[in-house]
Amino acid sequence: MFRRISILFLLFFAACFDYSESIYFSPDLSGFIEIEYRVPLRAKQDTSLISYFDLEKSDINKRYTRLLSRKTEIENFQKEIEQTDSGRFAKVKYRIAFRAPVELERILIGSTRVYFFEGKWVVQRRIPSSPPLHADAGRVSRRVHELSRMSLSGHSLNFLIFYPPEYDLFTNHGTIVRPGVESLSIPLSTTQNGGGLVWTMEIKANPLQPVSRGKP
């Protein structure tokens, strides 16, 4: 997803965006992803200002069916419309299952590559950013840039990874919350000036733990 567009470029013109994603791995490395996002709505319409993020269950089902080239059904779908002083927003939450780690390549946001190498699964994600402000940018461009920075302040991309004790997880970013849980939060304001992030995860069988092929 998002292989050809910059998510942050869109967000500059659609402030108050938040995204949370939790990946749950089973012992056989199938699993599911819980996705939640909050997006601003167009004036007097229940349509998202960030068109990529669908608001209807049927549209989300169609998108994943197309991406995975198989019939998919999202679960636990929830949608809530919020009215605030700064505008109207939609909060959407759902769960999508995956059969093997390689399917994450088509589900996860960012430019994602998933492959098996030397006994481990590698998930490499590139979280895009906006281009930096040119040194010779004019007054209007600088003002737009500053407004963008202010609108992104306090909003973030949040990720959680849950994995069973049969595996070890190694990453170049993030924090271990507790054994079996990895966390990463990316403030949107830090990725405004070309600060794209490359996040690599390696999942490998723990030699001290026998791998169960069943699901929990």
Side-chain angles (χ1 to χ4, degrees):
M1 294 182 175
F2 295 125
R3 285 175 172 79
R4 298 184 182 276
I5 64 173
S6 168
I7 187 173
L8 273 304
F9 177 81
L10 293 175
L11 299 184
F12 290 161
F13 300 97
C16 301
F17 170 88
D18 289 287
Y19 176 88
S20 296
E21 169 193 294
S22 299
I23 304 177
Y24 295 80
F25 286 101
S26 299
D28 64 354
L29 293 185
S30 65
F32 62 89
I33 307 170
E34 286 187 344
I35 294 174
E36 181 175 359
Y37 46 83
R38 180 178 183 266
V39 294
L41 299 176
R42 298 182 186 278
K44 299 181 181 180
Q45 299 181 43
D46 286 344
T47 57
S48 173
L49 275 172
I50 308 176
S51 59
Y52 185 87
F53 289 96
D54 296 311
L55 304 182
E56 302 301 328
K57 182 177 181 179
S58 59
D59 293 331
I60 298 172
N61 278 328
K62 289 178 184 177
R63 175 156 53 88
Y64 286 119
T65 294
R66 182 179 69 254
L67 289 171
L68 296 173
S69 300
R70 62 176 175 83
K71 181 65 175 178
T72 60
E73 291 289 341
I74 63 169
E75 301 175 340
N76 299 352
F77 177 80
Q78 301 175 37
K79 185 177 84 169
E80 177 184 350
I81 304 297
E82 299 179 348
Q83 179 68 56
T84 71
D85 293 339
S86 56
R88 298 172 65 249
F89 302 86
K91 287 181 63 177
V92 174
K93 184 176 182 179
Y94 60 86
R95 176 185 295 185
I96 177 72
F98 59 91
R99 297 176 177 176
V102 69
E103 289 193 339
L104 297 175
E105 192 169 282
R106 300 183 180 184
I107 297 175
L108 302 179
I109 69 167
S111 177
T112 305
R113 185 185 177 204
V114 182
Y115 57 94
F116 191 77
F117 177 71
E118 294 185 347
K120 59 180 178 286
W121 281 99
V122 180
V123 181
Q124 187 175 73
R125 308 178 66 174
R126 184 178 296 275
I127 308 299
S129 67
S130 68
L133 186 69
H134 291 293
D136 58 351
R139 180 175 60 83
V140 173
S141 295
R142 292 184 179 278
R143 179 55 177 165
V144 170
H145 185 269
E146 177 61 18
L147 290 173
S148 300
R149 185 190 65 79
M150 293 172 61
S151 69
L152 294 175
S153 178
H155 301 280
S156 59
L157 306 174
N158 299 295
F159 306 90
L160 282 172
I161 312 295
F162 297 84
Y163 55 99
E166 293 93 337
Y167 293 89
D168 292 323
L169 179 70
F170 305 94
T171 74
N172 63 334
H173 293 287
T175 302
I176 298 176
V177 179
R178 61 178 185 273
V181 183
E182 180 87 8
S183 172
L184 175 64
S185 182
I186 306 173
L188 293 182
S189 58
T190 65
T191 58
Q192 185 181 12
N193 296 312
L197 178 73
V198 177
W199 180 23
T200 300
M201 296 178 284
E202 297 182 355
I203 305 172
K204 185 176 183 179
N206 184 334
L208 302 180
Q209 294 280 351
V211 176
S212 169
R213 295 304 172 186
K215 297 183 180 181

